[in-house]
Amino acid sequence: MKEVARLAGVSVGTVSNVLNRPEMVAPDTRRRVQEAIERLGYVRNGSARQLRAGRSRIIGVVALDLANPFFIDVLRGVETAAQQADVTVMVFNSNKDAGREAGLLETFEEQRPLGVLITPVNDRGEEERLSRLVSRGIPVVRFDSSAGHSGGCAVAVDDVLGGVLAGQHLRERGHRRIAFAGGPFTVRQVRERRDGLARVLGPDDTLTVIPLPDLTVATGRTVGKEIADLPPGERPTAVFCANDLVAIGVLQEMTLRGLRVPADLAILGYDDIDFAAAAAVPLSSIRQPREQLGQTAATLLLEEANQAGDHEHRQVIFQPDLMARTSTTAHVRVNDAPA
Ligand code: RIB
């Protein structure tokens, strides 16, 4: 800034005004300063500015799995709220790795962002580290997660209801042998979706749980293989997948094996990412209001950061919706003889 001031023939304070309150500077002076900035290629030092201001203008986000479009859609909502508040978003991916998550939280303790949004790798994990951030005046809002014992702000969807909607839909379509494909069950969302499904099945229904190490297209392929390899009379007639990536994998495997969806196997996913409706056989899915989740979480975080002592923590739970498409609704009699 000193070099810019010297080149423009003004004080450092005038340069600061051109950068922060340009309306206070005479047009001719403002033009000279801007020409000097361009000629010197000057860029403001954000960290130094934050240090002087004593407050960061950055919120840190730790997403669980950036390979999953669900989190990209949530981040779109975070960005909407951040832009409205003139705050910058820095996104990190824990990639479902507790060690990486711990390293990121340590970095936040040093960098002291305005606040942190996180989907914890383990629902009860990292409480101590997250509490330390809060004790240092860095608010934490959990998204796609419960507040746990922290009592802090959290935003999620009612995943038990999501499982109930899935079970009701499949039973209404005549399915009595239903599989649930998901895991690991340390992930609260997965547990609750399975529990919601189990809640609506009757004594004459058969629930087959296919545990997965991860929720990806690849693990979905293994689910499709396991189901297709069963004798037709023992096969579930429908599978409820813990998310759409798994459902897409099951659809891919069934297609490669020449089995019909939904005639041989109805497939229902969760999240309603854009790829669900765009799939070769449009996938039914339990919709999460993804951008709304992100925008609400970021708004709660900014409120807490700006209100400090006056802030009242809130746990916001959104309702899921059933998006019924071809993969469960194409008209077939469930007892059609499988291929
Ligand atoms: O991260 C796994 C799943 O949990 C996502 O697909 C989304 O459903 C989240 O709630």
Side-chain angles (χ1 to χ4, degrees):
M1 278 180 80
K2 285 179 184 167
E3 286 175 44
V4 170
R6 190 178 305 118
L7 184 61
V10 299
S11 69
V12 170
T14 301
V15 175
S16 174
N17 283 337
V18 169
L19 293 171
N20 297 303
R21 293 174 294 280
E23 68 285 354
M24 292 178 64
V25 182
D28 180 51
T29 306
R30 192 163 63 221
R31 183 181 46 72
R32 286 208 325 271
V33 171
Q34 284 164 344
E35 283 172 359
I37 285 171
E38 281 159 29
R39 189 177 308 171
L40 293 170
Y42 168 74
V43 176
R44 276 193 276 195
N45 179 333
S47 305
R49 200 152 59 98
Q50 284 165 12
L51 278 174
R52 277 196 302 279
R55 294 298 301 273
S56 166
R57 298 297 299 160
I58 292 173
I59 57 177
V61 183
V62 182
L64 190 63
D65 177 10
L66 287 183
N68 184 341
F70 167 84
F71 290 98
I72 301 302
D73 294 341
V74 169
L75 288 170
R76 200 172 285 123
V78 170
E79 183 65 29
T80 300
Q83 278 177 350
Q84 288 165 356
D86 190 25
V87 163
T88 301
V89 179
M90 289 184 84
V91 179
F92 301 88
N93 184 23
S94 64
N95 198 26
K96 301 161 283 189
D97 178 312
R100 169 134 181 78
E101 179 184 71
L104 289 169
L105 294 178
E106 275 174 21
T107 303
F108 288 146
E109 286 190 64
E110 295 157 14
Q111 298 298 323
R112 295 176 183 273
L114 188 62
V116 173
L117 294 175
I118 185 169
T119 302
V121 171
N122 298 311
D123 203 39
R124 288 174 278 277
E126 290 315 323
E127 285 299 333
E128 184 191 332
R129 223 180 278 276
L130 291 171
S131 303
R132 256 210 313 275
L133 283 176
V134 174
S135 65
R136 285 176 165 72
I138 302 169
V140 172
V141 173
R142 292 161 178 78
F143 66 94
D144 189 33
S145 172
S146 66
H149 307 298
S150 70
C153 290
V155 180
V157 148
D158 182 340
D159 286 301
V160 173
L161 175 58
V164 166
L165 293 175
Q168 288 171 340
H169 175 61
L170 294 175
R171 293 195 86 256
E172 284 160 13
R173 305 297 301 173
H175 296 286
R176 294 297 178 268
R177 290 202 313 271
I178 298 173
F180 175 79
F185 288 105
T186 51
V187 176
R188 173 204 56 83
Q189 302 91 307
V190 177
R191 279 199 313 273
E192 294 190 356
R193 291 166 197 174
R194 174 206 57 196
D195 296 349
L197 169 67
R199 190 175 292 184
V200 298
L201 298 186
D204 300 331
D205 300 334
T206 305
L207 171 59
T208 304
V209 176
I210 303 175
L212 297 176
D214 205 351
L215 299 177
T216 62
V217 172
T219 58
R221 293 280 305 269
T222 67
V223 173
K225 180 180 181 311
E226 185 170 330
I227 290 174
D229 285 349
L230 290 170
E234 293 173 33
R235 236 182 251 159
T237 58
V239 59
F240 171 36
C241 302
N243 77 358
D244 288 338
L245 296 181
V246 172
I248 289 167
V250 177
L251 175 60
Q252 202 175 57
E253 188 66 24
M254 299 303 283
T255 306
L256 291 171
R257 291 167 171 262
L259 291 169
R260 301 165 300 169
V261 175
D264 296 326
L265 179 71
I267 303 174
L268 177 57
Y270 203 103
D271 294 341
D272 198 31
I273 60 176
D274 296 345
F275 294 117
V281 175
L283 278 173
S284 300
S285 183
I286 303 297
R287 181 185 171 278
Q288 293 205 67
R290 302 175 304 287
E291 290 196 31
Q292 207 178 357
L293 271 164
Q295 190 164 350
T296 303
T299 302
L300 286 173
L301 185 73
L302 293 167
E303 273 179 17
E304 185 169 351
N306 295 326
Q307 290 169 1
D310 302 339
H311 174 76
E312 197 174 306
H313 290 313
R314 295 201 297 282
Q315 286 78 41
V316 179
I317 302 289
F318 286 101
Q319 303 301 300
D321 300 304
L322 167 68
M323 307 302 288
R325 302 190 178 98
T326 308
S327 72
T328 58
T329 59
H331 183 72
V332 289
R333 286 196 319 282
V334 169
N335 297 325
D336 269 0

